[in-house]
Amino acid sequence: MPVDYINNWLRDDEDVQKMLPIDSASDAIFEVVKDGILLCKMINAAVPNTIDRRTINLTKLSLYTKHENCILALNSAKSIGCCIVNIGAEDITKGKEHLILGLLWQVIRIGLFAKIDLAEVPGLVRLLRDGETIEDLRALSPEDLLIRWVNYHLEQDGKTLLIGRNKLIHNSVH
């Protein structure tokens, strides 16, 4: 459930302290996101400085300012790479669970995968294969880097379990 990530990522954010911690055993998340503030904060946690804090309506919330926050969150989510199809501000303010969870998952994924690169993890250079350059490694998507990292460590452990995108390529684990 994305609630654990939200509680962790935003635990030091003063603007959402009154909302946290969110109970992961309930549907509280769908109420908490209705004003758009938490979504805006999650987007900034995933990709810092995407949203200028001054543009988020934090006090004296009305139906209009909540709607404005949700529009800001959706536009910002789209700008960081989230797929925003058939979801509008009214879906968030109505607490449509499947749409909110889909959006939160995308934001969390982007935030987690943003840290999988050579600048954040210089040790990834060990994943270079014969004939490859650093530029070849930089050209890989975070998903491909993660797959290569898993395979590298399996090989270092003497295993030949090779994992590819959405499939097991080869399995001869001893």
Side-chain angles (χ1 to χ4, degrees):
M1 186 74 162
V3 172
D4 295 329
Y5 287 100
I6 294 167
N7 287 333
N8 185 43
W9 282 6
L10 300 179
R11 71 176 172 265
D12 298 326
D13 190 314
E14 294 174 15
D15 296 328
V16 294
Q17 286 307 300
K18 64 184 180 285
M19 301 175 199
L20 299 178
I22 302 166
D23 181 12
S24 62
S26 73
D27 290 340
I29 184 65
F30 306 113
E31 280 300 313
V32 173
V33 300
K34 286 183 177 183
D35 63 14
I37 295 171
L38 193 92
L39 288 172
C40 289
K41 294 297 188 161
M42 282 297 294
I43 290 164
N44 269 354
V47 180
N49 303 314
T50 300
I51 301 172
D52 185 335
R53 182 187 180 278
R54 298 171 295 181
T55 63
I56 305 170
N57 297 298
L58 296 169
T59 59
K60 299 180 185 172
L61 295 174
S62 67
L63 188 59
Y64 173 76
T65 56
K66 291 176 184 180
H67 188 80
E68 199 173 67
N69 283 344
C70 291
I71 290 171
L72 176 62
L74 288 170
N75 289 337
S76 300
K78 187 174 182 180
S79 78
I80 66 168
C82 293
C83 180
I84 307 299
V85 177
N86 295 328
I87 181 171
E90 60 281 349
D91 296 316
I92 296 169
T93 58
K94 288 180 181 176
K96 292 194 176 177
E97 297 176 4
H98 67 289
L99 297 174
I100 291 168
L101 286 175
L103 179 59
L104 285 172
W105 165 243
Q106 289 183 74
V107 171
I108 291 168
R109 181 186 166 280
I110 288 167
L112 290 173
F113 279 26
K115 294 178 174 36
I116 303 175
D117 68 19
L118 288 168
E120 289 282 330
V121 189
L124 290 175
V125 75
R126 288 183 273 165
L127 303 179
L128 279 172
R129 294 182 179 151
D130 290 339
E132 284 185 332
T133 67
I134 293 286
E135 294 311 314
D136 295 325
L137 205 56
R138 283 193 178 115
L140 293 175
S141 70
E143 292 93 340
D144 289 332
L145 277 172
L146 188 56
I147 290 168
R148 192 177 283 197
W149 179 83
V150 168
N151 285 329
Y152 171 83
H153 284 286
L154 288 170
E155 290 166 5
Q156 294 300 307
D157 199 32
K159 311 257 188 305
T160 55
L161 175 74
L162 298 177
I163 299 169
R165 277 189 186 260
N166 301 319
K167 62 186 172 196
L168 181 64
I169 297 171
H170 178 67
N171 184 6
S172 59
V173 178
H174 305 291

